Structure formats: C-alpha cells, structure tokens
Amino acid sequence: MSENIVSRENYFEVVIVGGGPCGLATASRLCEATAGSIYTEDEHQRFHWLRQRGPKSAKVLRGAKKDVRFELPTKLKASDILVLDAVSDSFMGQWNNQFESCQIPTLRSPMFFHPDPVNIDGMITYAFTHRREKDLLEIQNVVGKEYSKHQQKRIIKKNAKKQASPLKGESRNDDRPGLIDINMRDYRDYYRPSTKFFRDFCEDIVDRYGLRSSIRKDRVVSLTYGDIEIMEENKIVTGFTIRTASGKVYGCENCVVASGHDGIINYPLPGLKDANPTLEQACHTTHLFNRNISFPPPVITSKLAEKKCASLVIVGGGLTSAQLAHISCDLGVKVTLLLRSFIKIKHFDFHLDWVTKYKNLKKSSFYMLDTDEERLQLIHDAREGGLMNPEYYKKLQKHVKKGMLQILDYSSIKQAQHGEEGWCLKIAEKRPDQEAREYDLQTDYICCATGISPNVQGLEYMQPIIKDFPIDFVGGLPCLTHDLRWSEELPLYMVGKNAALRVGPTSANLDGARVGAERVGWKIQNDYNEARPETLPLSTSLQIALNAQNRYSVLQGVEC
C-alpha cells in the first residue's frame, strides 16, 4: 500500500505552485481550447485562409487521408486545477503587494504583454469595451513616429556604418540602441496600462474561466512523485504528492511550478554581513513585498513625524530602486542612490527587439544556440542588469536638482557600523581608468534593491525531486525539455524565471508568462486527451490555429 494517501477531493489534474502572472496565465490557458494570443496578424490571416478551405488544405499540407478527422483539444475545467500561493488566496497577490509597496501608478510593459491566452490585443479590446482609454499611458519615443522620414534614413544609415565597422577591440552587439522596424499602424500597442486597469483586466480573466475558487493560500513544503492511494476509490495512481505548511496533502497528475521570485535574495551585501542588521536597520525589497516591514521604515517615519531630517541609502540601479527613491524624496527624505556601475536607461528590461510583435528574429537567434551556457550568456547580455525607464530617470534628475537625491555610481559599501545615530558607512568608489577612493557616509536606514539570483536547487520543497530525478543546472536554472518539463519521464513543468534557458530573456516578464503557459498548456492538454480513450487524439497544430483564428475573429468583430 502506498504511504501517500490523498482524499478524492484533494486530487487534481493539475496543481500550480504560485498565483502570480505565470500561474494565472497557465491556469487560464489550460481552460482554453482555442488559444491564439501568441499568433501574429499575418499568421491569423494564413489560418483564416486555411479554415475557409477546410480539410482539403490540411490534406495537401500533411498528406492526410480522407478519413482523418480534426477535433478541438479537450480543455480542463477550473475544478480540475488547484493553485497554491504562499502570499494570498487570490491571483496576483504578491504582484499587488509589490506595486502597492512601490506605489507604482502604471506598468512598464506595453499593451500586448498580458496573461490572456486568447487575444494578443486583449487589453486594447478590454479598454475600448469598458470605455477605459484614459487608463492607458503612451510610452513616448519608442515607435519612432517623432522622426521624419528623412531623419529616420539618416539615423538608420549612421547605425549601419557603426555596425559594419566596429571600433578596434569592440565586439558586435545586436542590442545597440537604434531605430527598430515597427509597423506604424501598431503604434497603439506602445501604450501601457495603469496598475488598476491591469488588475481589473486580470480579474476579468479569472472570472471568464471561473478560477476564483481554484486558488488557496498555502505554502508548499514538500513535492514528491510516485504512487498515490486515493482514499475513497481504493485505487493507486502515479502522480505528485504535495504537502503544505498547513498540514494539507494534495495529489495531482501534473504539477506546474510558477513561483517566480523564489531564489537567493542578494542580501545582506558583503559590506553589511558583519553588522548583521535587523529589519529595523536595513532590509531587502523582498521584505517590503512580503510585508515583513513597511516602507518607509519606522525609523524614517518617526523622524518625519518629529520634523527631523531623515536620510536613506538605496542600493541598486534598477527600476525598483528608482521608484523607492522617488517615493522617499517626495516625502522629504534625503536619499543616496548607490550603484555598482552606471545608470542604464531603457524603456523595458531588454532591448526593444525582444518585445515587439516582430521579435521572432531575435528569439530565433536564442533558440539556435548550441548550449545552455551560451543561452545564459545571451540572457545576461540582453537584460544588462538593473535598468530604469526614461520616465523615472527624469523624476530622479528633478530630485537631484532640488538637493534631495545624490547618485553615487561605481560605488559599493565596503564596511558598515550601526550605532545610536544610525549607520556609518565606508563607501568604496572605483571608476574605470581611475584610482579607487574611499569616503564615509551617514544614514538612518539602508534598503537593498539588489534582486534575486535564481536557485532552483536551493528550494526546500524541490529537494525530493532533485534527488530522485536529477537533471543538469546552469547558473542556478534547470535545463528543462522544450515543453518546459523537468525531464521526459516526469510531468513537472516550470514557467517564468526558472524556464529562462528555454524561453529566453523575456521569461520573467509578462511575455514569458504567456509563452511558457502556451507550451505547458499544449503538452498537458495533449496528454490529457491521449490518456482518455473516449476522446479522439489531440488535433494537429493546424486545427488549433484554425480554431484560434475563429475565436480571434469573434473578438475583433470580424465575420469568418
């Protein structure tokens, strides 16, 4: 008899660990038979042509026999899916905490980045349907419409010369800034939604697929794979046993890990380790997002309440550090922004080539690489570490002019001591081709916006899987199969940041959430059909595309 006993009500077809954007994208994709959000407009037109001609076109393309029948894939029901989230009993709980902590008014991503599995223009459709166009903010200086045709030709010609003749000792870099070939008719995509608009849009997806009761707040502590006894049915099946912090035991045939921000937080920094700071003295942004401490921290708010001068050091050069600095300066806190290199300014986390609708060329260069080591290096090159967008860079410059903010680049904390008057820091500055220097800095509090390093091997609940089903890791990331499975024999899937070696630099963003959900949803639906003799085999990719076009046309008000 199996030692893993699960009640029938706690056994599901799929259990998803994590209720963020990746978890929502995967759950909604599993409940959708006609997904079409990853197809471009040209592909939709092609699929529409094929649908009109029916099986004859399939016969020509596939060499199919006359009696071949195509069927819709069998989608899962919401009751077949359980989502376990350690933070909230609703989707996007951690996401909402992060946006509220940083008081972020709008998303960074453009309109075609979202978890809707049906329509790539879903957010645009939602905005016009609900008359919420005012919730969309234009991302300026992206598309290039500010330039005349003559100016565009000059810039393209200038960039072509630079790429053709790189300077001595300088390597070619396809991610250099320049004009991007974007269809001007799609300029509306380069708007971004307000935080409230995006939250409402995601709630609409949850309601559309009836997923509101599918998510539970509970932290996974153990994940194993083997024989499971279903109590009421007195039968043994093979699947995953999931144990949680509340003592519950769940079982499932397929498991999807969508916990994007699990890993090693880069804290405390080397210069802070010896001081062993408490949360009342210093923190990492993860502590803010998990509500372990409020922002601004108590030591800052108490000084502001007493109308005393308060100071704060923020370590990091990304968008989160810029957002926290902006909030603090507006409150009257003097902020020092500490960067180990220089400020990098881009609209998105990577160059625009990776995020436009015409990104296939860039992604193809990633997929064609031979080794995972090369893919990891390309990911690092594309993301370039911490980046802030032009909007927040301008805000920071205003605070610099007012004297509320100082930016120390090429600097790091070498030594730190905490006393009654706060922190005394020794700052080490090392600029290229210059002698290093050190100086002292006083501050009340330190906040580290230094990110999280991926480390699937270090996840506590993954230890039984890692031991029983070992696979290779590169840079803390698992070397998954093409359909994002742990291995060919194990139906454990990973989406989001942990699938970066297969999805690419956008894996941790909304684009990667949707792409990963499509791969996982396709595979799970395929296996779901094949395991049930009463259903026909899953349709070919052609028929999926045809049905996606039909759904897409309905949404756009086009008669097919």
Side-chain angles (χ1 to χ4, degrees), residues 468-494:
D468 297 337
F469 302 90
I471 62 172
D472 294 331
F473 288 82
V474 173
L477 296 169
C479 300
L480 308 171
T481 66
H482 176 73
D483 49 27
L484 309 187
R485 277 189 298 173
W486 185 263
S487 61
E488 293 294 343
E489 67 273 11
L490 190 68
L492 171 65
Y493 302 82
M494 309 204 89

Side-chain angles (χ1 to χ4, degrees), residues 395-451:
K395 290 180 179 180
L396 295 189
Q397 291 304 308
K398 291 181 181 179
H399 294 307
V400 171
K401 289 181 180 179
K402 292 179 181 178
M404 297 301 296
L405 172 68
Q406 66 171 335
I407 300 175
L408 305 179
D409 52 5
Y410 296 102
S411 301
S412 60
I413 299 175
K414 182 178 181 180
Q415 189 177 353
Q417 291 182 343
H418 190 273
E420 293 182 0
E421 300 299 322
W423 286 100
C424 180
L425 307 178
K426 187 173 289 295
I427 305 299
E429 181 187 277
K430 181 64 176 72
R431 296 182 176 277
D433 303 323
Q434 294 185 17
E435 291 187 6
R437 72 184 188 98
E438 297 180 358
Y439 52 90
D440 294 333
L441 178 67
Q442 301 284 334
T443 190
D444 295 317
Y445 196 84
I446 302 171
C447 181
C448 297
T450 47

